Amino acid sequence: MPTRVLSGPAPIATPADIAGKHTANDPAIIALIAAVQAEIDGPVGWLGRALGVQKLEFTTDRFPGRDPGAWDFSLFPKVIPSTIAITFRNRDGVEQTIDPSNFRLAEDRYIDFRRGFQFPATECAPDAVKIIYEAGYNGTPVANGGTGDVPANAKVAVVLGVQQMKAIGAENLFLRSEEVEGVGTFQYTVSEQAGEIIRKATDRLLSGLRVYA
C-alpha cells in the first residue's frame, strides 16, 4: 500500500527566518530549507507526519474487509479533510468515484466507510483503488475544516537544521535543481553525515510530534 508524493511539500520556513546576510529569495537558502525539511517531512521523512502541505497518492489492490474495530484505510497524517478523493477501477477497468457521503475522516488520518456501504468489486491490479488527498498544516483552523498552523517547534527545528547545514558547509549537501517558472523546484539528497546532523538538531524539538507506525 504505497504512498507517494505528487506535489509539495510547501516550505514551512523562508530565507527571512534564517540568520545571516542573504536575499529574501536566495536559492541556496531555499534549497537548504527544502533539504532539511525533506529529512523530517512527509512519507519519506522520519517524523511520520506531513508538515508542509503536500498532495499524496495512496494505492492498494482492493477495498478492505469488515474487520471489527479496524479502520478501513490509514492515510498519512495530517490529512486535510476536504481534499480526499477515492476512486477505483471496476472489473471492466473503468474508473469510478466513491461519493464523499459514503466515508468520513477520523483522527486526522483514517478513512471510515459508512456502515451499510457495499464495497464494489475491483479490477485485479495492485493499484485498483486510489486515494488522492492533501496532508500537512494549511493554516486554516480545525474548527473550519482545516489542519491549523504548522507547530512552532517544527519550524524552529527546520531553521536550526539549516543553520547547522550552513555551519558544516555545502560539501555535505548534494543538490539538483530544475527551474520552474523562474523560481526553481529542488530535488535533493543529503549525505549520511548531514542527515545525522539534521536529526540531532531536531530530535528533541520534534519528539512530541513524531507519529509511530
Side-chain angles (χ1 to χ4, degrees), residues 14-106:
T14 69
D17 298 313
I18 310 301
K21 294 182 179 180
H22 48 260
T23 63
N25 60 350
D26 187 313
I29 299 298
I30 290 173
L32 284 171
I33 290 170
V36 171
Q37 188 173 328
E39 282 291 293
I40 61 176
D41 194 359
V44 298
W46 59 259
L47 189 59
R49 73 169 65 221
L51 296 172
V53 174
Q54 50 203 279
K55 190 173 186 178
L56 304 177
E57 180 187 73
F58 167 92
T59 56
T60 184
D61 61 347
R62 70 189 69 182
F63 286 99
R66 290 295 191 189
D67 295 330
W71 297 109
D72 293 321
F73 286 128
S74 177
L75 303 181
F76 198 83
K78 238 182 172 182
V79 177
I80 301 172
S82 63
T83 65
I84 303 169
I86 303 177
T87 62
F88 69 96
R89 291 195 305 276
N90 63 21
R91 286 178 175 173
D92 295 323
V94 178
E95 186 171 89
Q96 309 284 325
T97 299
I98 301 294
D99 191 289
S101 65
N102 288 314
F103 61 86
R104 69 182 183 95
L105 180 69

